[in-house]
Structure formats: structure tokens, C-alpha cells
Amino acid sequence: MTTDQKAEEEILARKLIEGDIEAFDRFVEIYQKKIYALAYNMTHNQMDAQDVTQEVFLTIFRKAHTFQGKSAFSSWVYRVALNAVYMKLRSRKKDQSISVEDAFPSFNGAGYHQEVIRDWSESAESLMFSNETKNVIQSAVDQLPEKEKIAFLLRDVEGLSTEEAAEALDLSVSAVKSRLHRARLILRKKLSGYFEEKQIPGVVK
Amino acid sequence: MICCKECLDLLHDYLDGTLSKEIEKSLEEHFEDCPPCISFLNTYKAASSACRQTLTQTEVPDEVAASLKSFIKKNIKNSP
């Protein structure tokens, strides 16, 4: 977040605390898409994402005065949003038993790569716009274990800094880093199967 | 010289640019001699970037935006 954005958020937070309804319009303008996208990417359900967004709007409006300024305003908003998402998800637990261990590459006794690592990064770029690719990616993210998924969505998709994500999740910076690293490893492993198979002949490395 | 396994543990901080100059240099020296680690680094970055590109396309559908607008009008703007 830039210094200008930070300054605007501080003013916005102060006005919301004072109950300024126009500030609330600005809040909606800035956060509606972010909150909806986070909720949708966690629940994959339009109605659930809408419910979560409404819940967050109400909570922010009613509880703005409880914001104490100890963390960044945006971290507080994300914390409120995540609580609403957790409430929604609690009712529909599903099996997310993906082994994190499987996502790590295998090393020999000396600590060097044991398997062949194919570089599909360039072919991935050219496949980004197909619906099949989008579905594969969405399903890969959807199958991440919940803790890793939230860290990944906040940090790599919503673009929060590691510190902001740590504040939103009430975790240490090192815990966020390790969850994010695990999420990226799992996604790399899951997407490798798809992109390797699709790799365009000629760019094989 | 550091091994591939140690490189893996440093990837996150390397991409964040938060490694010490000394460790960053040993990591890059390792990359120069290790094509598997370069492939791993490229695909580690590409996986995250592909997901970001796909998931940031999530838009608020028009009907949801309309519902949210009337929700705000009814529950927030008209609240005592």
C-alpha cells in the first residue's frame, strides 16, 4: 500500500468512527470488490460471497467505533471479513486432506534435487486465457488446506504485505511466511501436472 | 556451497528480497550451476502468478452489486 493510500485509509477510518455516511460510500467503493472476491475465492458460491459481503458491511458500519488503530485499518477490515468467511465455511466442512509433504520436491542424501524438474513457466503464460486453465487453477486453489489458502489469498491474490496479512490473521510474520510458502509449493505441484502435459513442443527446457 | 534443499527454504525470502546480501549471493551462485533449481524457481513463481491472474478476475456480478446496494440503503443508510 502506498503512503497516499495509507493516509486516505486513516482519514476514512476516522470518518467511519464518527458515523459519516459518505465515508461509508467511499469504503464500499474501495472494499466491495476486494471483500466479495476474497469471499468468493474461499467459498466458490455467489450467494455465500454476497452474504459475507453484507455481513462485513454491517459489522464495519456498526463496529467502526471499536477500531482502535492498533493495526492498519485494512488489516482490521480483512480480519472482519475472514471471521465472516469462517462462519460461513463452518457449516460446510469438507475433506481437504492434501498432504503438504507431497508438495515438497524430493532430495538425495546430500540435499540435491532427485527428480527431473521441468520448467513449464513460459508455456503457462500462453495458456492463461483458456477456460480449462482457469478451471484447473480455481480447483487447485480451492483444494488448498484452509490455513494455507487464506495466507495465499491475502498475500498473493489480494496483495497485502506479509505484515498486513499477519495482522489480519493475528499470526506472526514467520507463520504467515511458512503458510504462504507451503501454499505456493502445493499449487506448484498441482499445476505442474497440468502445465507439463500442455507444454508446447519447442519451449521444453 | 549450499544445496538444493537449503535453496528451497530460502525461496520465499529471496523473492521478497529480504535475504542478507551474503546469503542471496550464495543462492544465486547455486542457481548458476543448478538447472533443476532454476526450473523449480521459475515454476514456483509461475504457479503463484497464474493463480493471481486468474483469481483477481473475480468481479462482483451485476445482480450481486444491485442487491448489495439495496442492502446498504435498507440496513445502513436508513438505520437509526
Side-chain angles (χ1 to χ4, degrees):
Chain A
M1 194 184 288
T2 64
T3 320
D4 280 356
Q5 282 171 321
K6 265 195 179 151
E8 192 198 346
E9 293 237 316
E10 276 173 25
I11 295 170
L12 184 64
R14 217 169 35 236
K15 286 185 174 170
L16 279 174
I17 292 168
E18 289 162 4
D20 182 336
I21 203 79
E22 278 173 24
F24 191 77
D25 286 338
R26 180 73 186 128
F27 167 79
V28 170
E29 199 181 308
I30 298 173
Y31 280 100
Q32 175 164 289
K33 181 177 186 285
K34 292 173 196 265
I35 296 166
Y36 179 84
L38 178 68
Y40 184 81
N41 288 329
M42 285 295 293
T43 61
H44 281 282
N45 180 292
Q46 185 173 310
M47 273 312 289
D48 286 350
Q50 182 178 321
D51 284 351
V52 167
T53 312
Q54 289 181 351
E55 187 61 38
V56 175
F57 284 171
L58 270 187
T59 308
I60 297 295
F61 183 72
R62 291 183 179 156
K63 298 198 174 165
H65 64 279
T66 67
F67 172 64
Q68 296 175 330
K70 284 182 186 161
S71 63
F73 178 67
S74 59
S75 303
W76 184 65
V77 173
Y78 277 108
R79 197 153 59 226
V80 169
L82 289 172
N83 281 337
V85 168
Y86 291 140
M87 293 291 283
K88 193 49 94 180
L89 288 176
R90 202 166 293 165
S91 54
R92 49 184 184 103
K93 273 191 177 169
K94 55 182 173 181
D95 183 23
Q96 290 176 324
S97 55
I98 299 169
S99 163
V100 175
E101 292 308 311
D102 285 350
F104 282 81
S106 56
F107 299 105
N108 62 21
Y112 289 86
H113 279 292
Q114 211 162 21
E115 56 193 298
V116 176
I117 313 272
R118 289 171 65 187
D119 187 352
W120 43 262
S121 57
E122 286 183 30
S123 64
E125 279 296 312
S126 60
L127 290 163
M128 275 314 297
F129 300 102
S130 84
N131 280 334
E132 188 190 4
T133 305
K134 283 180 196 163
N135 290 339
V136 168
I137 287 174
Q138 254 159 3
S139 136
V141 175
D142 199 31
Q143 288 174 49
L144 282 175
E146 202 172 290
K147 288 175 180 171
E148 279 72 18
K149 193 193 319 188
I150 290 169
F152 178 76
L153 289 176
L154 289 182
R155 178 72 174 69
D156 278 4
V157 179
E158 299 282 323
L160 268 67
S161 67
T162 309
E163 288 72 19
E164 287 167 339
E167 280 183 347
L169 293 167
D170 208 9
L171 284 174
S172 68
V173 164
S174 67
V176 172
K177 280 184 185 178
S178 96
R179 287 180 187 187
L180 176 64
H181 184 52
R182 286 201 297 267
R184 288 171 173 173
L185 288 175
I186 296 171
L187 291 170
R188 194 203 79 87
K189 181 81 177 177
K190 284 191 153 294
L191 297 180
S192 286
Y194 172 74
F195 283 123
E196 280 175 11
E197 197 180 298
K198 293 272 172 186
Q199 199 162 38
I200 302 161
V203 294
V204 176
K205 288 193 172 177
Chain B
M1 175 143 152
I2 56 175
C3 67
C4 305
K5 195 170 186 295
E6 288 167 304
C7 287
L8 179 71
D9 296 334
L10 298 171
L11 272 192
H12 179 285
D13 287 345
Y14 175 64
L15 294 177
D16 263 7
T18 53
L19 288 178
S20 71
K21 282 278 165 265
E22 194 187 343
I23 295 179
E24 188 178 283
K25 192 163 167 264
S26 6
L27 188 64
E28 286 173 348
E29 277 169 6
H30 176 99
F31 286 153
E32 278 175 26
D33 293 328
C34 186
C37 272
I38 288 288
S39 296
F40 196 89
L41 171 70
N42 286 344
T43 49
Y44 179 90
K45 285 196 289 189
S48 163
S49 147
C51 294
R52 175 170 52 247
Q53 284 183 56
T54 300
L55 298 184
T56 48
Q57 286 170 15
T58 307
E59 292 290 341
V60 182
D62 289 345
E63 67 269 26
V64 173
S67 302
L68 289 173
K69 205 170 174 184
S70 61
F71 175 84
I72 290 170
K73 205 170 168 201
K74 191 172 156 207
N75 295 282
I76 292 174
K77 297 211 167 167
N78 289 339
S79 65

